[in-house]
Amino acid sequence: SQKIEQNSEALNIQEGKTATLTCNYTNYSPAYLQWYRQDPGRGPVFLLLIRENEKEKRKERLKVTFDTTLKQSLFHITASQPADSATYLCALLNFGNEKLTFGTGTRLTIIP
Amino acid sequence: EPEVTQTPSHQVTQMGQEVILRCVPISNHLYFYWYRQILGQKVEFLVSFYNNEISEKSEIFDDQFSVERPDGSNFTLKIRSTKLEDSAMYFCASSAGFAGGLRDEQFFGPGTRLTVL
């Protein structure tokens, strides 16, 4: 069966350190994978998209890697700040269909 | 920066009533979507819409649900006869479509919280 798993429900990181979140999938052939941030009671906010033929993408303090052999994406926030505290969602779009399928999310807390 | 907007932010309704949730996608976008998120659960795809017709729908999107683009700017989700289990956040999203032959990223609205009593 198809699954998208994010490494942990909750992750606590000391301010200034790098936070690394993991997204693993099985039985998908993703065209691309996206990372979103979601704050309580709000909609997902798009952060980064990485395509199946790309290995790495960066945007300011954010970095995403995509390994289609391992079927895994890693999402890094460097120099983390308390304002980075939120739930982070990975979502992938399979080749041949329209729907974005989400993982359950990782709730990240940056401790001052 | 352009954004997806949704109204109302919160809708309370009695079981069996019809509700219409409204969305204004980003103006030059071509693909429109509805998702829902039951409290504490993951975001789930409901339906995608392109060129004035449904292009894909999930098993959740049964005969009680319908979507419409009544004019050039609005995109609506109607639930004909609401059930208790329809209580959730409903998110509208839009995307520009293809970039270099590949689907573009989806941008989400702030959501409508639907409470069915």
Side-chain angles (χ1 to χ4, degrees), chain A residues 32 34 36 38 98 100, chain B residues 37 56 103-106:
Chain A
Y32 64 61
Q34 298 183 123
Y36 287 85
Q38 188 175 29
E98 301 272 335
L100 205 54
Chain B
Q37 187 175 32
E56 187 161 352
R103 287 259 185 261
D104 214 346
E105 59 262 34
Q106 294 183 25

Side-chain angles (χ1 to χ4, degrees), chain A residues 46-86:
Chain A
F46 171 77
L47 295 174
L48 279 169
L49 178 153
I50 187 162
R51 302 195 191 280
E52 52 90 29
N53 59 349
E54 295 174 322
K55 294 270 188 254
E56 184 179 297
K57 268 280 184 68
R58 289 176 187 258
K59 180 180 170 183
E60 296 169 359
R61 293 184 296 113
L62 309 181
K63 183 176 94 170
V64 172
T65 62
F66 195 12
D67 188 327
T68 53
T69 304
L70 289 179
K71 299 187 188 302
Q72 182 181 81
S73 175
L74 299 179
F75 176 78
H76 307 273
I77 307 175
T78 57
S80 58
Q81 303 163 1
D84 295 327
S85 298

Side-chain angles (χ1 to χ4, degrees), chain A residues 4 18 27 38 44 56 83 100 110:
Chain A
I4 302 173
T18 297
N27 293 323
Q38 188 175 29
E56 184 179 297
L100 205 54
I110 305 300

